[in-house]
């Protein structure tokens, strides 16, 4: 009988040893970063650094609607500047007052002017126009027809 007891102790000790080795391997797997994780972290840091100048240029840009409108009307504004200005218009001034019955609120004229000017701008790309159009229509579903009308007028008045 002592032989059976010794074999059982040996099996239990072997299992405990395997559990200890397994626990150590799991520790290494989860708590020690490998090269891939380090590379991913470096890429994230580089992306943060490379995107920092873009964010700083947005911070320097004014946020009042009239200043943003002047940036959009400026014929020398670059595509990037136009995109940043339009993003700020959506962020800070994206919603228009509700309609007055079936008529658009007088404040909508500013947005119609921005859309018209944007469509005629030489540095405006289709992506910028569509992005602004969709964002404005999403925030103001009552004005969807008016927004489409302003875009159509702007595109029709564009020089060929």
């Amino acid at each position: 009988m002592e032989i059976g007891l010794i074999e059982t102790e040996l099996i239990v000790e072997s299992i405990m040893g395997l559990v200890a080795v397994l626990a150590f391997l799991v520790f290494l797997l989860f708590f020690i970063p490998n090269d891939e994780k380090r590379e991913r972290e470096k890429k994230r840091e580089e992306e943060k650094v490379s995107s920092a100048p873009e964010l700083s240029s947005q911070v320097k840009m004014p946020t009042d609607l009239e200043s943003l409108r002047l940036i959009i009307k400026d014929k020398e504004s670059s595509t990037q500047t136009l995109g940043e200005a339009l993003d700020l218009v959506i962020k800070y001034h994206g919603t228009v007052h509700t309609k007055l019955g079936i008529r658009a609120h007088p404040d909508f004229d500013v947005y119609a002017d921005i859309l018209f000017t944007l469509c005629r701008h030489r540095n405006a790309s289709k992506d910028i126009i569509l992005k602004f159009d969709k964002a404005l229509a999403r925030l103001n579903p009552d004005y969807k027809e008016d927004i489409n009308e302003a875009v159509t007028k702007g595109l029709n008045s564009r020089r060929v």
Side-chain angles (χ1 to χ4, degrees):
M1 293 254 216
E2 288 184 49
I3 295 177
L5 186 61
I6 295 174
E7 289 177 354
T8 306
E9 287 180 27
L10 184 62
I11 290 174
V12 170
E13 289 175 0
S14 297
I15 290 174
M16 288 175 43
L18 288 174
V19 168
V21 169
L22 183 62
F24 178 73
L25 290 175
V26 168
F27 173 79
L28 289 177
L29 179 68
F30 289 110
F31 295 109
I32 297 180
N34 57 16
D35 293 336
E36 291 178 10
K37 287 183 183 178
R38 289 184 196 140
E39 288 176 333
R40 277 188 247 141
E41 289 175 10
K42 285 181 183 177
K43 286 181 183 178
R44 286 183 194 143
E45 289 176 22
E46 291 172 1
E47 289 174 1
K48 287 180 184 176
V49 170
S50 66
S51 66
E54 294 172 12
L55 293 175
S56 65
S57 67
Q58 279 187 354
V59 172
K60 293 177 186 176
M61 194 175 287
T63 57
D64 62 294
L65 188 57
E66 191 56 37
S67 298
L68 293 170
R69 189 172 163 193
L70 291 174
I71 291 170
I72 295 167
K73 286 186 175 235
D74 183 11
K75 295 181 192 247
E76 302 301 318
S77 294
S78 67
T79 304
Q80 181 180 0
T81 305
L82 283 173
E84 290 174 4
L86 293 169
D87 288 343
L88 290 174
V89 168
I90 291 298
K91 182 176 180 179
Y92 294 107
H93 311 284
T95 55
V96 185
H97 295 288
T98 57
K99 282 189 165 191
L100 305 171
I102 58 172
R103 285 189 18 226
H105 193 277
D107 289 347
F108 180 74
D109 293 340
V110 174
Y111 296 91
D113 182 52
I114 289 174
L115 283 164
F116 186 79
T117 304
L118 179 63
C119 290
R120 293 181 50 92
H121 201 285
R122 67 180 182 176
N123 292 327
S125 66
K126 68 174 175 62
D127 296 328
I128 290 175
I129 296 170
L130 286 173
K131 180 181 173 187
F132 184 69
D133 174 41
K134 287 180 182 178
L136 197 60
R138 180 177 41 83
L139 291 171
N140 305 289
D142 294 341
Y143 286 97
K144 192 168 187 154
E145 291 178 23
D146 299 309
I147 292 168
N148 289 336
E149 185 179 319
V151 170
T152 303
K153 284 181 182 177
L155 291 174
N156 287 339
S157 69
R158 219 175 165 163
R159 296 181 189 136
V160 179

